[in-house]
Amino acid sequence: MVMREALRLAFGVISATDMLNEREIECLQMVGNGMKSEAIGEQLKLSVHTVNAYLGSATTKLDAVNRIQAIAKAIRLGVIA
């Protein structure tokens, strides 16, 4: 799947930032920085449920099996640092 996404990006069919919305990217970055959903919710003024929904949506869009894999894919695609 990563190769397919990389090819899509290379040929301009879809960009990683178009695939994920701003909040999904923000939540992925914060989890990647070691924050828990509760802390992310407090910082972004969102419920824990909403944070988890953003992370779940991002995980699905990145065709990942869990948050850790979603973070790794987002890093490889240059979506987060």
Side-chain angles (χ1 to χ4, degrees), residues 54-76:
Y54 282 128
L55 291 168
S57 178
T59 299
T60 300
K61 288 179 180 180
L62 290 168
D63 194 31
V65 295
N66 56 37
R67 290 180 184 186
I68 302 303
Q69 188 180 44
I71 292 164
K73 285 186 175 189
I75 290 169
R76 278 195 301 263

Side-chain angles (χ1 to χ4, degrees), residues 1 5 18-21 24 56-64:
M1 180 62 196
E5 290 301 328
D18 288 340
M19 189 166 51
L20 299 170
N21 69 42
E24 291 165 340
S57 178
T59 299
T60 300
K61 288 179 180 180
L62 290 168
D63 194 31

Side-chain angles (χ1 to χ4, degrees), residues 3-5 11 16 20 22-25 27-28 32 40 42 45 53-54 56 65-66 70 74-75 77-78 81:
M3 183 57 82
R4 182 171 29 162
E5 290 301 328
F11 289 100
L20 299 170
E22 183 177 329
R23 282 295 198 191
E24 291 165 340
I25 294 169
C27 288
L28 277 175
I40 295 169
E42 287 178 21
K45 300 191 184 337
Y54 282 128
V65 295
N66 56 37
I75 290 169
L77 293 170

Side-chain angles (χ1 to χ4, degrees), residues 7-62:
L7 288 171
R8 281 184 177 170
L9 291 170
F11 289 100
V13 176
I14 187 171
S15 74
T17 53
D18 288 340
M19 189 166 51
L20 299 170
N21 69 42
E22 183 177 329
R23 282 295 198 191
E24 291 165 340
I25 294 169
E26 200 169 17
C27 288
L28 277 175
Q29 181 67 62
M30 294 172 98
V31 168
N33 290 339
M35 293 180 71
K36 295 186 183 287
S37 296
E38 293 81 8
I40 295 169
E42 287 178 21
Q43 187 167 333
L44 299 179
K45 300 191 184 337
L46 301 171
S47 73
V48 173
H49 176 76
T50 302
V51 171
N52 289 333
Y54 282 128
L55 291 168
S57 178
T59 299
T60 300
K61 288 179 180 180
L62 290 168

